[in-house]
Amino acid sequence: GAPGFHDYTVVVGYGTPAQQLPMGLTTGLGVSLVRCTPCGAGAPCDDLAFDPSRSYTFAPVPCGSPDCRSNCSSSASASWCPLTVPFLEGAVVRDVLTFTPSASVHDFTFGCVEGSSGGPAITPPSGAAGLLDLSRDSRSLASRLAGGTFSYCLPRSTTSHGFLAMGDDDVPQNRRGRVTAVAPLVDCPALRNHYVVELAAVNLGGRDLPIPPAAASATNATVLDTAISYTYLKPSAYALLRDAFRRDMARYPAAPAGGGGDLDTCYNFTGQPEVALPLINLRFGISGEILLLAPEQMLYQTEPNNFFSVACLAFAALPSDDAPVSMVMGTLAQSSMEVVHDVDGGKIAFIPGSC
Ligand SMILES: *[C@@H]1O[C@H](CO)[C@@H](O)[C@H](O)[C@H]1NC(C)=O
Ligand SMILES: *[C@@H]1O[C@H](CO)[C@@H](O)[C@H](O)[C@H]1NC(C)=O
Ligand SMILES: *[C@@H]1O[C@H](CO)[C@@H](O)[C@H](O)[C@H]1NC(C)=O
């Protein structure tokens, strides 16, 4: 990615004895994916792969098992459950997953990725052996280990550490008092693996943007993504935010598009004595509270530790107004907050300044 971004991984153990592997995080895929030896065509091991032959608890998931969601009649080997993730080849398998010495799942279901048929396959972040699924699917680590409650904090810089905490007990009680915003979870059949909240308003510098009803209602679903950096709005909603932001920032010298070319609203703050930034806040759901983004969560800085350099509004447009979601919130906007997914409580809570 662009300078200043890093991939977020956690290390977990697969198999017995445990093979420790760094994993990226996903909250919507519906199945965990791990590169497995012998790492066939299109899926090089890069020294980061699970070796099933060294685990004595490894077992394939049979066709017909509730954990096999694939259409087995279309598979070559009729008894093993084939992985049905676009462009990936492999099998759905089970083994022990060790999250911490005291928290493990004995028959954790995941996809053993043995190869790729080419095409835009889901790939783990660099330095990871796969993706650990935290989705609402019953096979996810969150469902298996934590009854649907987990939280994470994505650090903003490589010098600080974040965390992934599973289950209610793992979330220190003293943080509860610092919750500053709550977003009610909604059921969204079209996104059933995802944690969905509704975007009710986008506010810039104290004014709600007049997001047209076509962009806001009908599909006002918002998802949080741990694998993309920026935050994406429907094109019509993004245009309103960008134009209002540009009006407020007209006194600062503009800079060319940045952040890998995705970000079209950039400024050169070099030599400015101070910058008066209109802040963005988001409101989720009818009963939701306001989430105020800090400047570091709104802006992508080309020099990570120097605010007075070139910085870009870290928002961009989704491909179309017909997108099934109205907002995808990326890692920069979520950074340094603890993001608590509380399925039993029907909410996502945000606790700023947690890592
Ligand atoms: C499963 O695949 C077979 C063969 O490709 C097909 O005939 C059948 O309709 C599929 N079943 C479902 C439920 O998709
Ligand atoms: C989201 O859209 C649904 C369906 O159009 C609507 O009932 C609901 O009020 C909207 N929610 C918000 C927060 O705007
Ligand atoms: C930013 O502005 C400073 C001072 O005007 C200039 O020296 C520098 O080259 C500019 N940087 C970019 C990336 O445009």
Side-chain angles (χ1 to χ4, degrees), residues 149-166:
T149 295
F150 68 96
S151 69
Y152 55 73
C153 190
L154 306 172
R156 190 173 291 137
S157 78
T158 45
T159 54
S160 50
H161 282 277
F163 58 84
L164 170 64
M166 304 301 290

Side-chain angles (χ1 to χ4, degrees), residues 19-116:
Q19 299 173 33
Q20 300 293 332
L21 294 169
M23 301 287 293
L25 303 176
T26 164
T27 52
L29 189 57
V31 65
S32 296
L33 298 174
V34 186
R35 245 181 333 241
C36 288
T37 56
C39 303
C45 281
D46 297 335
D47 294 333
L48 289 170
F50 173 59
D51 182 354
S53 69
R54 289 198 292 116
S55 170
Y56 63 79
T57 45
F58 176 84
V61 166
C63 278
S65 153
D67 281 343
C68 179
R69 310 278 164 80
S70 315
N71 180 352
C72 285
S73 50
S74 57
S75 117
S77 106
S79 56
W80 285 35
C81 180
L83 186 64
T84 48
V85 175
F87 306 110
L88 293 179
E89 286 154 8
V92 180
V93 301
R94 284 191 189 119
D95 209 334
V96 177
L97 183 132
T98 306
F99 181 63
T100 65
S102 60
S104 56
V105 179
H106 280 273
D107 50 358
F108 185 67
T109 301
F110 58 95
C112 221
V113 177
E114 288 148 5
S116 163

Side-chain angles (χ1 to χ4, degrees), residues 142-190:
S143 303
R144 295 296 309 277
L145 196 57
T149 295
F150 68 96
S151 69
Y152 55 73
C153 190
L154 306 172
R156 190 173 291 137
S157 78
T158 45
T159 54
S160 50
H161 282 277
F163 58 84
L164 170 64
M166 304 301 290
D168 210 25
D169 295 346
D170 220 8
V171 179
Q173 293 301 314
N174 62 6
R175 289 206 215 101
R176 296 267 184 227
R178 299 199 284 114
V179 171
T180 66
V182 168
L185 281 169
V186 294
D187 279 324
C188 184

Side-chain angles (χ1 to χ4, degrees), residues 37-318:
T37 56
C39 303
C45 281
D46 297 335
D47 294 333
L48 289 170
F50 173 59
D51 182 354
S53 69
R54 289 198 292 116
S55 170
Y56 63 79
T57 45
F58 176 84
V61 166
C63 278
S65 153
D67 281 343
C68 179
R69 310 278 164 80
S70 315
N71 180 352
C72 285
S73 50
S74 57
S75 117
S77 106
S79 56
W80 285 35
C81 180
L83 186 64
T84 48
V85 175
F87 306 110
L88 293 179
E89 286 154 8
V92 180
V93 301
R94 284 191 189 119
D95 209 334
V96 177
L97 183 132
T98 306
F99 181 63
T100 65
S102 60
S104 56
V105 179
H106 280 273
D107 50 358
F108 185 67
T109 301
F110 58 95
C112 221
V113 177
E114 288 148 5
S116 163
S117 60
I122 295 167
T123 47
S126 66
L131 288 166
L132 191 59
D133 183 44
L134 301 169
S135 74
R136 298 187 82 153
D137 190 276
S138 60
R139 299 173 299 183
S140 86
L141 184 65
S143 303
R144 295 296 309 277
L145 196 57
T149 295
F150 68 96
S151 69
Y152 55 73
C153 190
L154 306 172
R156 190 173 291 137
S157 78
T158 45
T159 54
S160 50
H161 282 277
F163 58 84
L164 170 64
M166 304 301 290
D168 210 25
D169 295 346
D170 220 8
V171 179
Q173 293 301 314
N174 62 6
R175 289 206 215 101
R176 296 267 184 227
R178 299 199 284 114
V179 171
T180 66
V182 168
L185 281 169
V186 294
D187 279 324
C188 184
L191 297 164
R192 66 192 161 77
N193 289 333
H194 289 264
Y195 303 89
V196 177
V197 295
E198 287 178 342
L199 183 64
V202 178
N203 181 296
L204 181 74
R207 291 154 293 149
D208 275 359
L209 297 176
I211 307 276
S217 66
T219 53
N220 46 19
T222 291
V223 296
L224 280 59
D225 196 321
T226 51
I228 61 167
S229 302
Y230 311 127
T231 293
Y232 294 82
L233 292 168
K234 291 200 170 178
S236 53
Y238 172 65
L240 283 171
L241 173 67
R242 179 198 58 205
D243 293 350
F245 189 80
R246 285 181 179 171
R247 276 195 298 277
D248 286 353
M249 299 292 284
R251 83 195 85 148
Y252 302 107
D262 279 3
L263 306 179
D264 65 6
T265 298
C266 302
Y267 299 90
N268 184 349
F269 296 134
T270 308
Q272 296 290 330
E274 59 180 8
V275 173
L277 197 67
L279 294 181
I280 293 173
N281 60 61
L282 304 169
R283 200 161 66 246
F284 296 108
I286 312 279
S287 58
E289 297 159 29
I290 288 167
L291 177 65
L292 179 66
L293 297 183
E296 302 80 15
Q297 291 170 292
M298 285 172 46
L299 294 183
Y300 164 68
Q301 289 160 242
T302 51
E303 290 175 34
N305 297 317
N306 179 12
F307 185 82
F308 292 95
S309 59
V310 173
C312 305
L313 179 66
F315 282 67
L318 287 165

